[in-house]
Amino acid sequence: MDKVISEPKPDEIKVLLHHQYQTRDTLSPSTVLPSPLDQFHVWFKEAVEDGKVHEPEAMSLSTATSSGIPSARIVLFKQLDSRGFIFYTNYTSRKSKELSENPNAALVFYWREIHRSVRVVGKVEKVSREQSEEYFKSRPVGSQLGAWASKQSTVIDEDDLTRRLKEVEEKFGDDVPLPEFWGGWRVVPNEVEFWSGKPSRLHDRVRYLRNEESSSESPSWKIDRLSP
């Protein structure tokens, strides 16, 4: 008897395609570096140099209100230092308000083209004014002006953004100062997971957990393999 597959209703979506992942390397506690930041540095460099990954710096940022209501969006990872992962944004935006009242965040990098992903959970802190200014000055002038023109996450009228951009262009020209309301956030990880896609959904997963007794300045890590 022929197999009968029911058609989805017009208001339903059913995804039946199963893509088979395949990475050449084997990911395990014995193959990774002792520090997740060092391991991320290796993977990110490979994602950039591979040439197939479009915007390897794109990451999902999840935040939550003080009452635990979550929200997520895609932002751009900009720097990795000895403490954690840094991105820049408007400090009056929704994400920044939520980070201020609930200083916990999660990040996800998904590099589909090379079948790899990295998940990060940690506390957040603002980077120094000096570091924010150094990065701000490296941005194109248009992006600098855009930071002043946009009251991020607020409701605006149709022509508000165009008008505000023209005003800041006339005010600053090409010498645009760092706004007081704009700067960097750093996610200081206490958990980092590296995921490597394998056939039949039997993926490699390695998780780093920060040892509670270790300091944030010189952390040590417990490294485990997780079931897929």
Side-chain angles (χ1 to χ4, degrees):
M1 181 181 293
D2 292 337
K3 184 177 180 180
V4 177
I5 301 176
S6 61
E7 291 293 327
K9 297 178 181 178
D11 59 346
E12 292 180 344
I13 295 176
K14 290 185 178 181
V15 180
L16 301 178
L17 179 65
H18 293 280
H19 181 67
Q20 289 294 334
Y21 299 96
Q22 181 65 63
T23 50
R24 295 186 301 272
D25 57 333
T26 298
L27 180 66
S28 72
S30 64
T31 64
V32 296
L33 296 172
S35 165
L37 298 184
D38 292 340
Q39 184 64 39
F40 179 84
H41 189 278
V42 171
W43 269 29
F44 188 78
K45 183 173 182 287
E46 290 177 354
V48 171
E49 293 179 349
D50 180 89
K52 299 176 184 176
V53 181
H54 181 63
E55 284 193 315
E57 69 274 25
M59 63 184 185
S60 169
L61 166 68
S62 295
T63 59
T65 64
S66 57
S67 59
I69 299 174
S71 60
R73 75 288 290 158
I74 303 298
V75 300
L76 296 182
F77 161 69
K78 287 300 179 181
Q79 293 169 315
L80 180 74
D81 63 14
S82 61
R83 288 182 58 78
F85 302 79
I86 298 171
F87 65 95
Y88 293 87
T89 189
N90 188 311
Y91 283 148
T92 67
S93 65
R94 174 176 176 174
K95 70 178 86 65
S96 288
K97 289 178 179 178
E98 292 181 356
L99 290 173
S100 294
E101 64 182 58
N102 182 349
N104 298 281
L107 309 173
V108 178
F109 296 83
Y110 178 49
W111 301 319
R112 174 184 178 276
E113 296 84 355
I114 57 174
H115 300 171
R116 283 179 172 177
S117 180
V118 182
R119 185 178 63 84
V120 180
V121 180
K123 291 285 188 180
V124 298
E125 60 189 23
K126 288 182 177 179
V127 306
S128 69
R129 178 77 177 173
E130 293 75 20
Q131 189 168 350
S132 291
E133 187 160 25
E134 181 181 359
Y135 171 72
F136 186 79
K137 289 300 183 182
S138 74
R139 306 179 89 207
V141 172
S143 297
Q144 295 176 2
L145 292 168
W148 279 95
S150 174
K151 295 182 178 180
Q152 199 174 98
S153 303
T154 61
V155 176
I156 59 174
D157 290 331
E158 189 68 29
D159 298 324
D160 281 357
L161 194 58
T162 301
R163 175 183 56 78
R164 285 182 55 80
L165 181 58
K166 183 177 180 181
E167 289 174 355
V168 295
E169 285 176 333
E170 293 173 351
K171 181 177 181 179
F172 298 122
D174 292 338
D175 186 17
V176 187
L178 172 67
E180 290 291 333
F181 53 81
W182 196 96
W185 286 101
R186 179 188 292 108
V187 180
V188 181
N190 51 49
E191 177 183 350
V192 184
E193 180 187 328
F194 293 83
W195 176 96
S196 184
K198 296 294 181 181
S200 303
R201 300 298 189 262
L202 298 177
H203 312 304
D204 288 344
R205 297 173 62 191
V206 169
R207 181 188 62 190
Y208 293 75
L209 287 179
R210 183 194 296 268
N211 291 319
E212 293 182 0
E213 66 275 8
S214 66
S215 69
S216 59
E217 300 301 327
S218 183
S220 61
W221 301 89
K222 184 176 184 293
I223 307 175
D224 295 303
R225 180 171 184 142
L226 301 180
S227 177

